[in-house]
Amino acid sequence: MSSYPNWIFSMFAFLGFILSMIPLPWHLEAWNTGTCLFMIWTGLACLNQFINSVVWTGNVINWAPVWCDISTRFMIGSAVAIPCASLCINRRLYYIATANAVTATRADKRRAIMVDLAIGIGIPVLEMVLQYIDQGHRFDIFEDIGCFFFTYNTWVAYVLVTTWPLVIGCISATYSILTIRAFMKRRSQFKELLSANSNLNSNRYFRLMCLAGTEIVFTIPLSCWSIYLNVTSSTIEPWNGWADVHSDFSRVDQFPSVIWHLNEGTVISLETSRWFIVLCAIVFFGFFGFADEARKNYRAAIDSVAKRVGMSTGGSFGSTLWSSTGYVNINIDFSNFC
């Protein structure tokens, strides 16, 4: 049995979905492509894991095979998509730090968005397609975990699937190091460079650097650990061709909790993969959920709701509710209720 009740993960997974979606509207308005991709992929991955954990709590019944086909394919894509979103963020920060011109044309901005979309959506979709080449059977169902993709352990899997997050993480880390180096060299020009990006100030720039850096710190070690587990937990089989790998493709393997908990490597792999998504959501909200623009949007939302129900927040609301002291000063206009 699991060492903790499964509803705990379900609660955190749903919370991760909410936390990822809260800052999305104002980041979409600012056209921060990499940040939006990070939020969308992380939020949907949390929602996907939440649904799986609820439906398959205490059972391994194949309730929804079509859902599992979609869910497992999305898992494959999201495992690469989050490092790709971090790569988009690091690329943008690098080009800002090394820009020779202060101004950027609309064509430049449009081109940058298209490149980000190609990286943040194109690569994950390509990964979903390539994984099918070494997909030994349809999918697995683990009690409490839900649907999970299966990749036949051959050398082809390491080329097409397993090593992608590590490679992308290393590229992203290279950009991050070059960005820090460029920033140190051109510190005096930094504010001037940021002036060309109306949606990016110094605080947001450094928060993006911290977010991308944190993602790299986790992605590279976890990718190495995943490769190590794949190599050591089972024998790497020879690649005998498409027909051999897909010979029993429609099979669905089902693993009760007492079975999959017998293998420590399986437990670590499954639990790490699903909790990592939740951690990404929490880390993102930690960096951006309490920023100045976030507090401004919270105040606007609360003011809007207050007006609809006939309440007045008063002029002091914005300056006291989100202060570091934690004091709240809300004035209610009772005249509207008379």
Side-chain angles (χ1 to χ4, degrees):
M1 297 297 292
S2 179
S3 58
Y4 61 90
N6 199 48
W7 63 264
I8 293 178
F9 173 80
S10 300
M11 178 183 66
F12 274 98
F14 188 73
L15 178 64
F17 167 68
I18 298 298
L19 293 181
S20 297
M21 293 296 106
I22 286 175
L24 182 59
W26 56 87
H27 282 276
L28 283 173
E29 291 176 2
W31 284 99
N32 296 323
T33 317
T35 315
C36 291
L37 288 171
F38 192 99
M39 281 184 282
I40 293 170
W41 279 109
T42 302
L44 292 179
C46 286
L47 181 62
N48 181 43
Q49 294 285 12
F50 165 74
I51 294 172
N52 277 315
S53 67
V54 170
V55 173
W56 280 279
T57 293
N59 73 90
V60 291
I61 300 173
N62 190 6
W63 302 103
V66 175
W67 161 259
C68 283
D69 288 332
I70 298 170
S71 175
T72 53
R73 197 57 50 188
F74 184 84
M75 288 180 188
I76 295 163
S78 62
V80 174
I82 294 175
C84 282
S86 178
L87 173 58
C88 292
I89 294 172
N90 274 314
R91 281 184 73 258
R92 184 186 182 198
L93 299 181
Y94 169 73
Y95 285 120
I96 291 173
T98 58
N100 292 321
V102 176
T103 59
T105 64
R106 292 178 64 88
D108 292 335
K109 294 178 181 179
R110 192 181 303 113
R111 190 181 304 111
I113 291 174
M114 296 304 294
V115 172
D116 284 345
L117 292 176
I119 295 173
I121 297 179
I123 293 178
V125 170
L126 177 62
E127 173 73 346
M128 294 180 195
V129 175
L130 291 177
Q131 191 271 345
Y132 182 74
I133 295 174
D134 202 52
Q135 183 179 350
H137 57 262
R138 193 170 178 183
F139 55 82
D140 293 332
I141 298 177
F142 294 87
E143 182 180 350
D144 296 334
I145 302 289
C147 313
F148 212 86
F149 62 89
F150 177 82
T151 304
Y152 196 44
N153 194 22
T154 68
W155 65 267
V156 176
Y158 294 91
V159 175
L160 300 181
V161 182
T162 311
T163 57
W164 277 49
L166 176 60
V167 172
I168 295 168
C170 290
I171 297 172
S172 191
T174 303
Y175 272 113
S176 183
I177 293 169
L178 292 175
T179 300
I180 295 172
R181 182 181 176 186
F183 169 72
M184 297 304 294
K185 286 183 176 181
R186 308 178 67 182
R187 194 182 312 176
S188 60
Q189 299 174 269
F190 188 63
K191 289 185 179 180
E192 185 181 4
L193 292 170
L194 286 180
S195 67
N197 296 267
S198 58
N199 298 318
L200 192 65
N201 55 38
S202 58
N203 287 333
R204 183 178 288 182
Y205 186 93
F206 288 118
R207 287 198 304 272
L208 286 170
M209 284 186 66
C210 291
L211 172 66
T214 302
E215 194 276 330
I216 292 169
V217 166
F218 283 101
T219 295
I220 294 177
L222 285 175
S223 298
C224 293
W225 178 247
S226 176
I227 294 171
Y228 170 78
L229 286 178
N230 285 336
V231 171
T232 58
S233 62
S234 60
T235 305
I236 300 178
E237 302 292 339
W239 171 261
N240 294 321
W242 177 278
D244 178 68
V245 172
H246 295 83
S247 59
D248 191 17
F249 187 78
S250 61
R251 187 176 85 251
V252 174
D253 289 341
Q254 296 152 290
F255 301 94
S257 180
V258 292
I259 300 298
W260 65 264
H261 272 89
L262 294 176
N263 188 311
E264 185 178 359
T266 301
V267 173
I268 294 173
S269 179
L270 291 174
E271 294 288 2
T272 300
S273 64
R274 70 173 185 166
W275 277 104
F276 176 68
I277 301 296
V278 176
L279 179 63
C280 286
I282 294 173
V283 168
F284 179 86
F285 190 80
F287 281 122
F288 290 93
F290 304 101
D292 291 340
E293 68 270 20
R295 295 198 295 269
K296 178 182 177 181
N297 282 277
Y298 298 154
R299 286 195 294 268
I302 293 173
D303 285 342
S304 177
V305 173
K307 289 178 181 178
R308 290 178 182 274
V309 299
M311 297 172 61
S312 175
T313 57
S316 60
F317 176 80
S319 61
T320 58
L321 179 62
W322 304 108
S323 66
S324 58
T325 60
Y327 292 117
V328 179
N329 180 19
I330 300 178
N331 300 317
I332 301 177
D333 186 2
F334 288 98
S335 62
N336 293 307
F337 295 93
C338 297

